[in-house]
Amino acid sequence: MGWTLHRLAMLLAFLLLPAAVVTAEKPAWQQLDAARDWLGGEEPASGGLRIELPLVSEEGMSVPLEIRGGELGNSEAPIREIRVYALGNPDPDVLGLRLDPALGRADFSTRIRLDESQTVLVLARDASGRFLAAEQPVRVANSGCLARSDEPVDAPMGAPRVAVPDPFPGAGEPGEVRTLILHPMETGFREGPDGKPVARRIIEDFSAELDGETVLSARFHAAVSANPYLAFRLAPRADGELRLHWRDETGEEREAYREVRVGSGE
Amino acid sequence: MKTDQARRRLLAGLGATLGLAAAGLPLGGSASRARVVVVGGGFGGAAAARALRQFAPDLEVVLVEPSAVFRTCPFSNLYLGGLRSFGSLGHHYGYLQRRHGVRVVRSSARAVDPERRQVRLVDGTRLGYDRLILSPGIDMRWDALEGYDQTAAERLPHAWKAGPQTRLLRRQLQAMDDDGLFLMVIPDNPYRCPPGPYERAAMVAHYCRRHKPRAKVLLLDAKDAFSKQALFEQGWREVYGERIEWVGFSGDGEVVRVDANQRIVETAFGNRHQADVINVIPPQQAGYIARQAGVTDRSGWAPVKAGTFESRLVPDVYVIGDAAVAAPMPKSAFCAHSQAGVTAAAVLASLAGREPPEPAWLNTCFSLIDSDYAISISGQYRLRDGEIQEVSGGVSPLQASQEFRRREAEHARDWYAAMSHAIWGA
């Protein structure tokens, strides 16, 4: 009797589940063509990669995203590539990253645009070709903020800002490098005052080189917030020079150099 | 003309909240003997206690609040600017006790035992409840900003809870050199009173215009956009010229470290700013008792069921005001008051075994730029698809006459008087 009631309750609960909940049970990577294409039939593992996003964002124009992919140096199969998708954006591509083990850790912070409440998916591929996935739903309270309408459209790319630890904590020990460049990251999705779509103009490529070796290259899409912010880890083994480089769709470029000094590790 | 309409809407709105709550009545027999405990005597808790007693005169309502006098954050910026006395921010609980029969217990809640439905107070007393409403406001996150702890706050006040901190900041402002720098550190969302820092900047500038003519106000902000931004920036410029400078996240406004002894703050990209007075508004979280009761999630805030504000994590516990995740409703006094009415109705319906009435919430936030210049934002909220959504709302127009701004300043004062009278009777 109790068992039957229990079954009945289960059945009812199942029938009454809102459609959205049923959809959400399907992993995000299964819902997106771009993600499935990259996976090429592989099923990603769910451990080893974490993301942090606010559960509720009051401002969809700039949502802080943190990716925690763990150690690169001592790992047998360090993460080599990361891709970020926002499933509910007009263009689900957000960010792509190619990592060199010289970064020390696969940890990143950035700010992204979310057009509405949706799931953010992060996929990573490690050196052995294995995939990892992490996803999180975000509720966006103030939508429609894909861009600000009072932003001048043809604003040139501004001066970059870069902060590096001085010194880095020790040889091979990761320290956080923060980068930001003034740029409207015009999405191409919004209308100007005249009602016509504003032409798209975004920074596409960013790279970091340590003494001439590329340690990080990034592909930005329109969902990276205006004035792109990217913080990453770097674990230099010796003193050297860091070169940072940005290029936008019009071909305009900026670069910045920073001296890298390695501390004694104490 | 238009503002008079806005004012009528506003005053009608105060009444509408109560009218809505009344829809949950009358109570059945067993519910009328029930006890509801409300923790926190601010705009949310005190209003909830009042509303419960108004609509269910037989219900036992216990309000737990440690202070004999409640100091409001709204208008505390006006005290900083010299437009209001500190005493005028204080409200007592006598009226709630005498007029509405709320039992006010002057103590702090130490713990909640949801299994036994008890609240334990700091003196060990246990208060049983049938339903519990938590309206604890905010606590600072003392671990969130390097160098900023309770000791540092004695040198670099936050003044984000009205009281001794507010007076400390006022004294520091008064003692500042005539050409001093007043620096404010502003956090990322969510935090109490989204437009509050920007009103404070105007009120500090107002004070400086007369008393510190060469002083500057520098705002270092972890965000790139803020509430009523265009109106604030226009108002600052019109009234105070170049005195106020705002630096957002992209301009390297995010402060990552403070040195209280040296009065220096350091930004994410390594700029160091020294100032004569530093007002640090740190990242925040739901008040202690909400965290202790287990109604908060890893964000530090309390997720609630949108229609009733019952906790999503602990049954029969409701969370209202700044502690709750109510976005797109902002963490404002008016929202807390509006939530109090809706949640009181939901609690009464729940006690009577009925469905809660259809909710509707309101918000209006006035910000003063000058003694006769105010701007406002307002919103109406409804339940849509199980979530709170803004159904209408807006901000003051960018193009408006001095007369329009003057009337909004009048409405702000009317709002404060009406609201504090409705809740505390004075």
Side-chain angles (χ1 to χ4, degrees), chain B residues 49-82:
Chain B
R50 179 211 58 193
L52 286 166
R53 284 287 303 174
Q54 270 182 316
F55 308 135
D58 295 331
L59 185 75
E60 187 183 355
V61 178
V62 183
L63 176 65
V64 179
E65 165 60 46
S67 321
V69 182
F70 180 78
R71 314 270 178 197
T72 62
C73 275
F75 276 30
S76 65
N77 285 333
L78 278 63
Y79 160 72
L80 286 175

mmCIF file of all heavy atoms in Angstrom, chain B residues 49-82:
data_model
loop_
_atom_site.group_PDB
_atom_site.id
_atom_site.type_symbol
_atom_site.label_atom_id
_atom_site.label_comp_id
_atom_site.label_asym_id
_atom_site.label_seq_id
_atom_site.Cartn_x
_atom_site.Cartn_y
_atom_site.Cartn_z
ATOM 1 N N ALA B 49 6.132 42.343 11.087
ATOM 2 C CA ALA B 49 5.498 42.154 12.388
ATOM 3 C C ALA B 49 4.203 42.978 12.465
ATOM 4 O O ALA B 49 3.159 42.490 12.897
ATOM 5 C CB ALA B 49 6.460 42.563 13.499
ATOM 6 N N ARG B 50 4.291 44.216 12.012
ATOM 7 C CA ARG B 50 3.117 45.084 12.025
ATOM 8 C C ARG B 50 2.012 44.505 11.146
ATOM 9 O O ARG B 50 0.854 44.398 11.551
ATOM 10 C CB ARG B 50 3.497 46.482 11.526
ATOM 11 C CG ARG B 50 2.330 47.458 11.467
ATOM 12 C CD ARG B 50 2.518 48.459 10.350
ATOM 13 N NE ARG B 50 2.654 47.772 9.063
ATOM 14 C CZ ARG B 50 3.070 48.330 7.950
ATOM 15 N NH1 ARG B 50 3.436 49.586 7.950
ATOM 16 N NH2 ARG B 50 3.154 47.645 6.834
ATOM 17 N N ALA B 51 2.376 44.099 9.927
ATOM 18 C CA ALA B 51 1.369 43.605 8.982
ATOM 19 C C ALA B 51 0.698 42.345 9.525
ATOM 20 O O ALA B 51 -0.521 42.184 9.426
ATOM 21 C CB ALA B 51 2.031 43.324 7.625
ATOM 22 N N LEU B 52 1.471 41.454 10.116
ATOM 23 C CA LEU B 52 0.903 40.214 10.654
ATOM 24 C C LEU B 52 -0.151 40.524 11.713
ATOM 25 O O LEU B 52 -1.230 39.940 11.723
ATOM 26 C CB LEU B 52 2.015 39.350 11.267
ATOM 27 C CG LEU B 52 2.947 38.646 10.285
ATOM 28 C CD1 LEU B 52 4.186 38.124 11.009
ATOM 29 C CD2 LEU B 52 2.231 37.493 9.577
ATOM 30 N N ARG B 53 0.182 41.457 12.610
ATOM 31 C CA ARG B 53 -0.755 41.779 13.690
ATOM 32 C C ARG B 53 -1.965 42.539 13.167
ATOM 33 O O ARG B 53 -3.070 42.380 13.669
ATOM 34 C CB ARG B 53 -0.036 42.615 14.759
ATOM 35 C CG ARG B 53 0.883 41.801 15.637
ATOM 36 C CD ARG B 53 0.135 40.939 16.620
ATOM 37 N NE ARG B 53 -0.748 41.725 17.483
ATOM 38 C CZ ARG B 53 -1.602 41.218 18.358
ATOM 39 N NH1 ARG B 53 -1.693 39.907 18.503
ATOM 40 N NH2 ARG B 53 -2.354 41.992 19.091
ATOM 41 N N GLN B 54 -1.734 43.365 12.153
ATOM 42 C CA GLN B 54 -2.859 44.121 11.602
ATOM 43 C C GLN B 54 -3.902 43.204 10.983
ATOM 44 O O GLN B 54 -5.086 43.444 11.106
ATOM 45 C CB GLN B 54 -2.365 45.112 10.547
ATOM 46 C CG GLN B 54 -2.009 46.462 11.142
ATOM 47 C CD GLN B 54 -1.572 47.442 10.072
ATOM 48 O OE1 GLN B 54 -0.801 47.095 9.186
ATOM 49 N NE2 GLN B 54 -2.056 48.659 10.163
ATOM 50 N N PHE B 55 -3.415 42.162 10.307
ATOM 51 C CA PHE B 55 -4.346 41.315 9.573
ATOM 52 C C PHE B 55 -4.793 40.101 10.372
ATOM 53 O O PHE B 55 -5.763 39.456 10.019
ATOM 54 C CB PHE B 55 -3.723 40.882 8.243
ATOM 55 C CG PHE B 55 -3.219 42.050 7.476
ATOM 56 C CD1 PHE B 55 -1.978 42.020 6.875
ATOM 57 C CD2 PHE B 55 -3.983 43.215 7.390
ATOM 58 C CE1 PHE B 55 -1.512 43.129 6.199
ATOM 59 C CE2 PHE B 55 -3.514 44.321 6.721
ATOM 60 C CZ PHE B 55 -2.276 44.281 6.122
ATOM 61 N N ALA B 56 -4.069 39.785 11.435
ATOM 62 C CA ALA B 56 -4.451 38.641 12.266
ATOM 63 C C ALA B 56 -4.269 39.060 13.721
ATOM 64 O O ALA B 56 -3.295 38.686 14.357
ATOM 65 C CB ALA B 56 -3.587 37.430 11.922
ATOM 66 N N PRO B 57 -5.207 39.822 14.257
ATOM 67 C CA PRO B 57 -5.038 40.407 15.592
ATOM 68 C C PRO B 57 -4.866 39.357 16.692
ATOM 69 O O PRO B 57 -4.368 39.686 17.770
ATOM 70 C CB PRO B 57 -6.327 41.206 15.790
ATOM 71 C CG PRO B 57 -6.862 41.439 14.415
ATOM 72 C CD PRO B 57 -6.454 40.256 13.612
ATOM 73 N N ASP B 58 -5.259 38.114 16.454
ATOM 74 C CA ASP B 58 -5.101 37.080 17.480
ATOM 75 C C ASP B 58 -3.769 36.357 17.389
ATOM 76 O O ASP B 58 -3.429 35.560 18.253
ATOM 77 C CB ASP B 58 -6.226 36.047 17.364
ATOM 78 C CG ASP B 58 -7.579 36.687 17.660
ATOM 79 O OD1 ASP B 58 -7.599 37.658 18.438
ATOM 80 O OD2 ASP B 58 -8.580 36.225 17.084
ATOM 81 N N LEU B 59 -3.070 36.578 16.323
ATOM 82 C CA LEU B 59 -1.797 35.889 16.120
ATOM 83 C C LEU B 59 -0.759 36.421 17.111
ATOM 84 O O LEU B 59 -0.708 37.612 17.381
ATOM 85 C CB LEU B 59 -1.325 36.156 14.685
ATOM 86 C CG LEU B 59 -0.076 35.441 14.195
ATOM 87 C CD1 LEU B 59 -0.390 33.969 13.907
ATOM 88 C CD2 LEU B 59 0.447 36.118 12.919
ATOM 89 N N GLU B 60 0.061 35.516 17.641
ATOM 90 C CA GLU B 60 1.137 35.978 18.509
ATOM 91 C C GLU B 60 2.353 36.293 17.629
ATOM 92 O O GLU B 60 2.838 35.435 16.895
ATOM 93 C CB GLU B 60 1.509 34.905 19.544
ATOM 94 C CG GLU B 60 2.513 35.455 20.550
ATOM 95 C CD GLU B 60 2.987 34.414 21.556
ATOM 96 O OE1 GLU B 60 2.459 33.272 21.540
ATOM 97 O OE2 GLU B 60 3.898 34.752 22.338
ATOM 98 N N VAL B 61 2.807 37.510 17.697
ATOM 99 C CA VAL B 61 3.948 37.935 16.877
ATOM 100 C C VAL B 61 5.057 38.417 17.800
ATOM 101 O O VAL B 61 4.855 39.332 18.601
ATOM 102 C CB VAL B 61 3.555 39.048 15.883
ATOM 103 C CG1 VAL B 61 4.775 39.499 15.083
ATOM 104 C CG2 VAL B 61 2.455 38.565 14.944
ATOM 105 N N VAL B 62 6.208 37.781 17.688
ATOM 106 C CA VAL B 62 7.363 38.139 18.505
ATOM 107 C C VAL B 62 8.435 38.712 17.591
ATOM 108 O O VAL B 62 8.827 38.063 16.613
ATOM 109 C CB VAL B 62 7.926 36.910 19.253
ATOM 110 C CG1 VAL B 62 9.083 37.330 20.160
ATOM 111 C CG2 VAL B 62 6.831 36.223 20.047
ATOM 112 N N LEU B 63 8.877 39.916 17.886
ATOM 113 C CA LEU B 63 9.933 40.546 17.091
ATOM 114 C C LEU B 63 11.223 40.563 17.916
ATOM 115 O O LEU B 63 11.254 41.120 19.008
ATOM 116 C CB LEU B 63 9.533 41.979 16.711
ATOM 117 C CG LEU B 63 10.583 42.810 15.954
ATOM 118 C CD1 LEU B 63 10.871 42.215 14.588
ATOM 119 C CD2 LEU B 63 10.119 44.256 15.792
ATOM 120 N N VAL B 64 12.267 39.925 17.369
ATOM 121 C CA VAL B 64 13.554 39.869 18.058
ATOM 122 C C VAL B 64 14.482 40.908 17.446
ATOM 123 O O VAL B 64 14.781 40.849 16.244
ATOM 124 C CB VAL B 64 14.181 38.462 17.926
ATOM 125 C CG1 VAL B 64 15.535 38.416 18.635
ATOM 126 C CG2 VAL B 64 13.242 37.403 18.490
ATOM 127 N N GLU B 65 14.894 41.880 18.254
ATOM 128 C CA GLU B 65 15.739 42.968 17.747
ATOM 129 C C GLU B 65 16.620 43.466 18.902
ATOM 130 O O GLU B 65 16.107 43.813 19.960
ATOM 131 C CB GLU B 65 14.836 44.095 17.206
ATOM 132 C CG GLU B 65 15.527 45.431 16.984
ATOM 133 C CD GLU B 65 16.677 45.403 15.991
ATOM 134 O OE1 GLU B 65 16.530 44.823 14.910
ATOM 135 O OE2 GLU B 65 17.753 45.957 16.338
ATOM 136 N N PRO B 66 17.933 43.478 18.715
ATOM 137 C CA PRO B 66 18.816 43.853 19.827
ATOM 138 C C PRO B 66 18.821 45.343 20.168
ATOM 139 O O PRO B 66 19.080 45.697 21.318
ATOM 140 C CB PRO B 66 20.202 43.400 19.357
ATOM 141 C CG PRO B 66 20.107 43.330 17.876
ATOM 142 C CD PRO B 66 18.680 42.996 17.547
ATOM 143 N N SER B 67 18.525 46.211 19.191
ATOM 144 C CA SER B 67 18.654 47.654 19.472
ATOM 145 C C SER B 67 17.349 48.227 19.994
ATOM 146 O O SER B 67 16.268 47.871 19.521
ATOM 147 C CB SER B 67 19.019 48.425 18.201
ATOM 148 O OG SER B 67 19.941 47.703 17.435
ATOM 149 N N ALA B 68 17.469 49.143 20.941
ATOM 150 C CA ALA B 68 16.282 49.869 21.410
ATOM 151 C C ALA B 68 15.865 50.898 20.372
ATOM 152 O O ALA B 68 14.696 51.221 20.226
ATOM 153 C CB ALA B 68 16.581 50.549 22.734
ATOM 154 N N VAL B 69 16.846 51.414 19.659
ATOM 155 C CA VAL B 69 16.593 52.430 18.631
ATOM 156 C C VAL B 69 17.118 51.903 17.303
ATOM 157 O O VAL B 69 18.270 51.485 17.216
ATOM 158 C CB VAL B 69 17.322 53.750 18.966
ATOM 159 C CG1 VAL B 69 17.006 54.806 17.919
ATOM 160 C CG2 VAL B 69 16.942 54.227 20.351
ATOM 161 N N PHE B 70 16.280 51.902 16.294
ATOM 162 C CA PHE B 70 16.721 51.479 14.965
ATOM 163 C C PHE B 70 17.125 52.707 14.165
ATOM 164 O O PHE B 70 16.370 53.659 14.047
ATOM 165 C CB PHE B 70 15.602 50.728 14.245
ATOM 166 C CG PHE B 70 16.001 50.268 12.870
ATOM 167 C CD1 PHE B 70 16.797 49.144 12.714
ATOM 168 C CD2 PHE B 70 15.627 50.978 11.733
ATOM 169 C CE1 PHE B 70 17.196 48.724 11.455
ATOM 170 C CE2 PHE B 70 16.031 50.562 10.468
ATOM 171 C CZ PHE B 70 16.812 49.431 10.339
ATOM 172 N N ARG B 71 18.353 52.690 13.635
ATOM 173 C CA ARG B 71 18.837 53.805 12.798
ATOM 174 C C ARG B 71 18.728 53.389 11.341
ATOM 175 O O ARG B 71 19.248 52.345 10.955
ATOM 176 C CB ARG B 71 20.302 54.120 13.104
ATOM 177 C CG ARG B 71 20.628 54.205 14.566
ATOM 178 C CD ARG B 71 20.458 55.605 15.086
ATOM 179 N NE ARG B 71 20.727 55.676 16.530
ATOM 180 C CZ ARG B 71 20.343 56.687 17.284
ATOM 181 N NH1 ARG B 71 19.673 57.699 16.758
ATOM 182 N NH2 ARG B 71 20.609 56.702 18.578
ATOM 183 N N THR B 72 18.086 54.209 10.537
ATOM 184 C CA THR B 72 17.859 53.832 9.146
ATOM 185 C C THR B 72 19.067 54.159 8.274
ATOM 186 O O THR B 72 19.655 55.238 8.389
ATOM 187 C CB THR B 72 16.641 54.577 8.566
ATOM 188 O OG1 THR B 72 16.901 55.987 8.584
ATOM 189 C CG2 THR B 72 15.390 54.287 9.367
ATOM 190 N N CYS B 73 19.391 53.229 7.382
ATOM 191 C CA CYS B 73 20.390 53.549 6.354
ATOM 192 C C CYS B 73 19.849 54.611 5.392
ATOM 193 O O CYS B 73 20.572 55.543 5.043
ATOM 194 C CB CYS B 73 20.809 52.287 5.601
ATOM 195 S SG CYS B 73 22.117 51.393 6.429
ATOM 196 N N PRO B 74 18.567 54.467 4.951
ATOM 197 C CA PRO B 74 18.037 55.562 4.147
ATOM 198 C C PRO B 74 18.137 56.887 4.910
ATOM 199 O O PRO B 74 17.794 56.955 6.086
ATOM 200 C CB PRO B 74 16.568 55.154 3.926
ATOM 201 C CG PRO B 74 16.593 53.668 3.987
ATOM 202 C CD PRO B 74 17.639 53.340 5.027
ATOM 203 N N PHE B 75 18.603 57.874 4.259
ATOM 204 C CA PHE B 75 18.806 59.229 4.788
ATOM 205 C C PHE B 75 20.051 59.360 5.663
ATOM 206 O O PHE B 75 20.350 60.457 6.132
ATOM 207 C CB PHE B 75 17.559 59.756 5.520
ATOM 208 C CG PHE B 75 16.546 60.371 4.568
ATOM 209 C CD1 PHE B 75 16.433 59.920 3.269
ATOM 210 C CD2 PHE B 75 15.712 61.409 4.964
ATOM 211 C CE1 PHE B 75 15.522 60.471 2.386
ATOM 212 C CE2 PHE B 75 14.795 61.980 4.087
ATOM 213 C CZ PHE B 75 14.703 61.503 2.802
ATOM 214 N N SER B 76 20.788 58.247 5.897
ATOM 215 C CA SER B 76 22.027 58.395 6.669
ATOM 216 C C SER B 76 23.064 59.168 5.854
ATOM 217 O O SER B 76 23.940 59.830 6.415
ATOM 218 C CB SER B 76 22.572 57.036 7.120
ATOM 219 O OG SER B 76 22.969 56.258 6.016
ATOM 220 N N ASN B 77 22.965 59.108 4.518
ATOM 221 C CA ASN B 77 23.861 59.927 3.693
ATOM 222 C C ASN B 77 23.556 61.416 3.876
ATOM 223 O O ASN B 77 24.450 62.260 3.763
ATOM 224 C CB ASN B 77 23.716 59.564 2.205
ATOM 225 C CG ASN B 77 24.387 58.244 1.870
ATOM 226 O OD1 ASN B 77 25.336 57.837 2.541
ATOM 227 N ND2 ASN B 77 23.895 57.567 0.850
ATOM 228 N N LEU B 78 22.289 61.716 4.161
ATOM 229 C CA LEU B 78 21.915 63.122 4.367
ATOM 230 C C LEU B 78 22.512 63.636 5.674
ATOM 231 O O LEU B 78 22.876 64.805 5.785
ATOM 232 C CB LEU B 78 20.388 63.281 4.383
ATOM 233 C CG LEU B 78 19.719 63.356 2.997
ATOM 234 C CD1 LEU B 78 19.915 62.094 2.195
ATOM 235 C CD2 LEU B 78 18.242 63.677 3.136
ATOM 236 N N TYR B 79 22.613 62.742 6.642
ATOM 237 C CA TYR B 79 23.300 63.102 7.893
ATOM 238 C C TYR B 79 24.777 63.400 7.592
ATOM 239 O O TYR B 79 25.331 64.394 8.073
ATOM 240 C CB TYR B 79 23.143 61.976 8.913
ATOM 241 C CG TYR B 79 24.168 62.000 10.011
ATOM 242 C CD1 TYR B 79 24.128 62.976 11.004
ATOM 243 C CD2 TYR B 79 25.201 61.063 10.034
ATOM 244 C CE1 TYR B 79 25.090 63.015 12.007
ATOM 245 C CE2 TYR B 79 26.160 61.092 11.026
ATOM 246 C CZ TYR B 79 26.113 62.072 12.011
ATOM 247 O OH TYR B 79 27.072 62.112 12.980
ATOM 248 N N LEU B 80 25.411 62.558 6.765
ATOM 249 C CA LEU B 80 26.817 62.798 6.408
ATOM 250 C C LEU B 80 26.970 64.154 5.722
ATOM 251 O O LEU B 80 27.949 64.863 5.940
ATOM 252 C CB LEU B 80 27.330 61.705 5.467
ATOM 253 C CG LEU B 80 27.599 60.333 6.085
ATOM 254 C CD1 LEU B 80 27.984 59.336 4.996
ATOM 255 C CD2 LEU B 80 28.713 60.430 7.129
ATOM 256 N N GLY B 81 25.998 64.511 4.908
ATOM 257 C CA GLY B 81 26.066 65.771 4.173
ATOM 258 C C GLY B 81 25.664 66.981 4.996
ATOM 259 O O GLY B 81 25.770 68.107 4.525
ATOM 260 N N GLY B 82 25.163 66.737 6.211
ATOM 261 C CA GLY B 82 24.775 67.852 7.081
ATOM 262 C C GLY B 82 23.340 68.318 6.868
ATOM 263 O O GLY B 82 22.945 69.371 7.346
#
